[in-house]
Amino acid sequence: MRQNQYLVIGGSGEAGQSAILCLKEKDPSAYIITSTTTNEPVSNADLTLFGKTAEPGLAVKIRSDLKNHNISPNFQAIIYTPALGEVGFPIAESTPQQIKDTLAICLDPILELEETLKTELTVAYSAFYWLSHTLSFYGSMGIAKYKADLWAFENPKRRRIVRAGTFFSKSVRGISIVLQRTMKKTNNPDLLTLKSRYENSGQKFMDFFLSYAWEHEKAAFQSQFDTAYRPTERKDLSRGLSFALESKAPIVTVLGDWTFEENELPQVPNWFGQF
C-alpha cells in the first residue's frame, strides 16, 4: 500500500478538483486515485479510473479496477463529490421516485463504498438546503442533502460533510437553467416572487441567481461574524476539506472567509421528517 492513498469520486468537477488540490497541498506525497465518467485523465490526479458513473455497483467496479492496477483498496479517506437530482421546484413537492433516483446518485453509492472498501473516513459535500430560497427550488436534491446530514451524524468518527456556500459552477448553472424554465409556468408563491424580482433586476438570470443566493446567505449568517460576508469560491472548498480531515465535528462549513463546525443538525421544517 502506498502511504496516504486517497480516493476522490468525481475528480474532474469543481469539488473534485478542489479536493485533489487540497490533498496535494496537505501531503505532497499523497497518492490520489480518482474516478470520472469520461475517458479523459483527471487533472492533478495520480491515477484516473475511467467510465465510472455514480450509480449502484460503483464500489464493486472501483474495487475491480484497483485490483487490475494491482493497487490495495486501502485509503486514508474517500472524498465523494457527485450531486445530481431533479431541481427547480420546492423541496416539499419531491415525489418518492424523484427522491429514490436522487439518492441513487448522491447517497447510496457512498454507503456501498463504505461497506466495500472499509475506509476509515468518508467525506461528502452539501449545501444550505434549508434556507428560504433553497426550500423553494432545490427539489429532491434538498432531501438528499438532508439525508446526507443524517448519515454523517450517525457515525461522526468515520463520516464528514463539507458544507459550502453558493459559488459559480456547472452544477449551479444547471440549476439556474432549470429554474428559469420552471418559473415560466409555476403557481408557487415563492417562485413567483423570485420570478418578479428577476424581471425587475435588469440582470441576466445566472447573475441574478447568484446574487439572490448570496443575499440570502448573508442575511442568514452575517450576524454571527465580525468580518464581512463574501461569496464562496472554489478555493474555499479546499479549505473546508482540510478542516474536515482534522475536525471531530460531523460537518465543517465554509462560507466565504468564514469556517465553522456544526455539531447539531440544522433547524429544518418539520415536514422533512416525512421523507
Side-chain angles (χ1 to χ4, degrees), residues 126 129 141-151 265 268 272-273:
S126 191
Y129 58 87
M141 282 290 293
I143 303 301
K145 298 303 186 186
Y146 169 65
K147 289 185 177 291
D149 278 2
L150 296 176
W151 163 82
L265 285 166
V268 301
F272 268 88

Side-chain angles (χ1 to χ4, degrees), residues 22-24 53 68 71 88 96 98 107 113 126 131 184 207 234 238 253 267-268 270 272:
C22 165
L23 295 168
K24 287 292 189 181
T53 303
N68 291 338
I71 292 175
Q98 288 171 328
L107 187 60
L113 286 162
S126 191
L131 295 185
K184 294 178 180 178
D207 295 333
R234 190 181 87 174
S238 294
T253 296
Q267 294 293 315
V268 301
N270 290 334
F272 268 88

Side-chain angles (χ1 to χ4, degrees), residues 166-221:
T166 304
F167 64 98
F168 179 77
S169 65
K170 289 181 180 178
S171 175
V172 170
R173 183 174 182 274
I175 291 173
S176 74
I177 291 172
V178 173
L179 182 56
Q180 191 173 12
R181 191 182 307 137
T182 303
M183 287 192 315
K184 294 178 180 178
K185 54 186 179 181
T186 186
N187 291 316
N188 180 273
D190 292 326
L191 292 181
L192 288 173
T193 298
L194 178 68
K195 179 182 178 182
S196 176
R197 288 194 54 181
Y198 161 59
E199 291 173 345
N200 293 322
S201 71
Q203 294 178 292
K204 293 182 179 178
F205 189 75
M206 184 73 244
D207 295 333
F208 165 79
F209 181 68
L210 286 169
S211 298
Y212 184 76
W214 294 336
E215 171 190 314
H216 282 78
E217 291 175 356
K218 181 179 179 179
F221 292 98

Side-chain angles (χ1 to χ4, degrees), residues 78-146:
I78 296 173
I79 317 300
Y80 190 88
T81 73
L84 186 64
E86 292 196 52
V87 295
F89 57 90
I91 295 174
E93 296 178 9
S94 300
T95 67
Q97 188 62 50
Q98 288 171 328
I99 295 170
K100 181 180 178 181
D101 292 345
T102 301
L103 292 176
I105 297 169
C106 297
L107 187 60
D108 294 346
I110 299 178
L111 305 180
E112 290 184 8
L113 286 162
E114 283 185 315
E115 178 62 27
T116 302
L117 301 181
K118 311 294 184 185
T119 303
E120 286 298 310
L121 181 65
T122 304
V123 183
Y125 290 80
S126 191
F128 297 105
Y129 58 87
W130 67 92
L131 295 185
S132 60
H133 68 300
T134 42
L135 287 174
S136 67
F137 67 72
Y138 211 30
S140 57
M141 282 290 293
I143 303 301
K145 298 303 186 186
Y146 169 65

